[in-house]
Amino acid sequence: MDKKRVMVTGMGAITPLGIGLDAFWDGLRNGRSGIARITHFDPTGFDCRIAGEVKGFEAADFIDRKEARRMDRFTHFAVATSRMAVADAGLAPEAYEAEATGVILGSGIGGMETLGDQFAVLAQKGPGRMSPFFVPMMIGNIAAGHISIALQAKGPCLTIQTACASGANAIGEAMRYLQRGEAEVMIAGGTEAAVLPLAVGGFSAMKALSTRNDEPERASRPFDADRDGFVIGEGAGMIVLETLDHALSRGARIRAEVVGYGLTADAYHMVEPAPEGDGGRRSMALALRDSGLQIDEVDYLNAHGTSTPKGDVGETRAIKRVFGDHPRRLAVSSTKSMTGHLLGAAGAVEFIACVLAIQEGLIPPTVNLERPDPECDLDYVPNQARPADVRVAMSNSFGFGGQNATLIVKKYSQDEHISAESTKG
């Protein structure tokens, strides 16, 4: 069965760099860090007291106030970025068929703020004082449900939970629905809001978080010899994907084409990557095979690059094993150096960075890369954005449990469309 071509026609982002695509891209191209001391709660006494928080977000700017009170913050982000993406795509309600429009959303944790709040109510006041909205606010699938309601999308509706690969898996699976002809429009991405005492305390207990508390903007430093762990962040990224025929039929602006998706399991360890990055290697190789592209056609790779000692080395080895000699000419960067690690939203936000790199002809940098780890010896675009003709970009996302996802996106070519049309019949 011929696969339908899948286009990116709309995007929305809320990140520690600001609200919306412009703020996100402005931060990336200028190498600006969104990391600062935690303000959502008093972090005194925590080993880690820094995070990538979203500042200035008001749910009421996007959602009815009464409805917003019945949603967790991770749902606020999801609904808001979905509205942004649909607006960016120029999709009016009458421009899509509801039953052919679906939603796939990734979140690693879900409504943890609600969980923590209601646990405190239970412990301090008893079960009779708990909110009747506790469960529907907290459960992981509720954000996708709210998006479907808000946008009247009545097609496939799924929630993906593959930890830090969730957002990437959501986009990849949405692509598959469109390729198979099971939908015409898919709204997909990831959301997370876990800058909370429970999550920060839990990751700190694992010794996974940076403790560079005195200089937060320098704390996330992927591939640097002085890195000491990741910085937790929050936010969301949502994408509107359409089949080529649907996009052309309504005269949509096409930002890029999604062409490859790979997913694998390490089957090795709860949190450590497999030796030599084997799971990541196979994920990238599968995405390349799915795309039909050659390794020397990939210009830019947005790395998972979390700033953890083992993770960065494992990914570097995996890239070398896939790309052979090409890594010396392949630009690699980690935008987590500026946003922090957005967990279940990371894959979607970093996919957006890839699309913008293609559109803007600029590769975002890896900031804070001052003393490269000798075992991390690729071209990581240190500290300053680099002008480049990016035709094909790859994005890696690797999750706890050894779950890996890779996406490939390329510049849309109208000539390729015309060529395909001319060979029909």
Side-chain angles (χ1 to χ4, degrees):
M1 182 181 73
D2 291 339
K3 295 188 296 188
K4 292 180 180 289
R5 294 173 64 186
V6 177
M7 304 294 140
V8 178
T9 58
M11 304 192 297
I14 294 174
T15 74
L17 297 174
I19 313 296
L21 286 180
D22 290 345
F24 178 53
W25 184 245
D26 184 71
L28 293 187
R29 69 186 174 88
N30 288 301
R32 175 164 54 85
S33 172
I35 312 302
R37 181 179 170 86
I38 291 172
T39 61
H40 285 182
F41 64 93
D42 180 2
T44 302
F46 285 73
D47 290 342
C48 174
R49 300 186 286 279
I50 56 176
E53 295 177 325
V54 172
K55 303 288 179 57
F57 175 75
E58 296 291 340
D61 291 343
F62 303 92
I63 306 165
D64 174 83
R65 287 184 183 277
K66 182 178 179 182
E67 292 182 22
R69 286 197 295 271
R70 298 173 176 176
M71 298 177 184
D72 189 276
R73 185 173 170 88
F74 93 112
T75 301
H76 291 161
F77 289 158
V79 174
T81 49
S82 296
R83 291 191 185 281
M84 289 179 188
V86 168
D88 183 60
L91 265 177
E94 63 272 15
Y96 56 85
E97 181 186 347
E99 295 181 6
T101 301
V103 178
I104 301 185
L105 183 66
S107 182
I109 295 179
M112 181 173 268
E113 184 171 31
T114 301
L115 177 65
D117 289 348
Q118 289 300 301
F119 182 80
V121 171
L122 175 65
Q124 296 166 13
K125 301 179 181 179
R129 298 294 297 275
M130 291 182 69
S131 167
F133 296 102
F134 163 50
V135 173
M137 286 175 65
M138 176 272 296
I139 52 177
N141 74 316
I142 199 64
H146 275 295
I147 293 170
S148 72
I149 295 167
L151 301 178
Q152 283 298 286
K154 299 182 178 179
C157 189
L158 288 175
T159 298
I160 303 245
Q161 189 176 49
T162 49
C164 306
S166 300
N169 280 130
I171 294 169
E173 295 303 317
M175 180 183 77
R176 293 284 188 248
Y177 274 86
L178 294 167
Q179 287 178 329
R180 294 193 298 260
E182 296 174 10
E184 293 179 339
V185 178
M186 293 294 294
I187 300 152
T191 184
E192 206 76 86
V195 183
L196 301 163
L198 202 57
V200 173
F203 284 122
S204 291
M206 296 172 60
K207 307 297 183 187
L209 298 181
S210 170
T211 56
R212 196 182 288 260
N213 296 307
D214 294 335
E215 39 187 11
E217 72 282 355
R218 299 183 65 216
S220 183
R221 42 197 319 114
F223 311 112
D224 188 271
D226 296 325
R227 66 194 185 281
D228 68 336
F230 76 83
V231 178
I232 190 172
E234 63 174 358
M238 295 298 291
I239 322 293
V240 173
L241 300 174
E242 297 180 54
T243 60
L244 175 61
D245 289 345
H246 192 274
L248 292 176
S249 70
R250 68 181 189 87
R253 173 196 55 184
I254 295 174
R255 285 184 174 273
E257 179 174 4
V258 196
V259 294
Y261 172 43
L263 69 163
T264 64
D266 284 358
Y268 174 70
H269 191 275
M270 288 172 61
V271 295
E272 291 185 12
E276 304 300 317
D278 185 64
R281 174 192 66 79
R282 289 183 291 109
S283 180
M284 286 183 271
L286 286 173
L288 275 166
R289 189 172 73 183
D290 187 43
S291 72
L293 297 169
Q294 302 300 311
I295 57 172
D296 60 359
E297 293 182 89
V298 180
D299 303 300
Y300 168 55
L301 193 157
N302 189 302
H304 185 58
T306 58
S307 186
T308 59
K310 289 187 178 179
D312 291 356
V313 171
E315 185 172 14
T316 297
R317 291 172 178 170
I319 292 169
K320 289 180 177 179
R321 292 178 67 192
V322 172
F323 287 91
D325 293 334
H326 184 50
R328 306 297 176 189
R329 295 179 284 111
L330 173 66
V332 179
S333 73
S334 171
T335 46
K336 288 185 179 76
S337 59
M338 293 167 275
T339 63
H341 190 351
L342 275 55
L343 308 180
V349 167
E350 289 158 18
F351 176 85
I352 290 173
C354 288
V355 174
L356 291 173
I358 290 171
Q359 288 196 293
E360 301 295 330
L362 192 73
I363 296 174
T366 306
V367 303
N368 300 319
L369 185 47
E370 298 163 344
R371 197 167 71 88
D373 181 333
E375 293 193 77
C376 299
D377 55 354
L378 302 178
D379 176 8
Y380 300 108
V381 192
N383 302 312
Q384 289 191 329
R386 178 187 300 168
D389 179 16
V390 181
R391 297 155 300 169
V392 177
M394 171 183 281
S395 181
N396 278 338
S397 296
F398 306 149
F400 279 175
Q403 294 175 289
N404 312 295
T406 300
L407 296 167
I408 299 178
V409 60
K410 75 173 188 178
K411 186 176 290 186
Y412 169 64
S413 168
Q414 191 173 15
D415 290 343
E416 190 175 345
H417 160 65
I418 293 170
S419 176
E421 286 291 305
S422 67
T423 60
K424 289 181 179 177

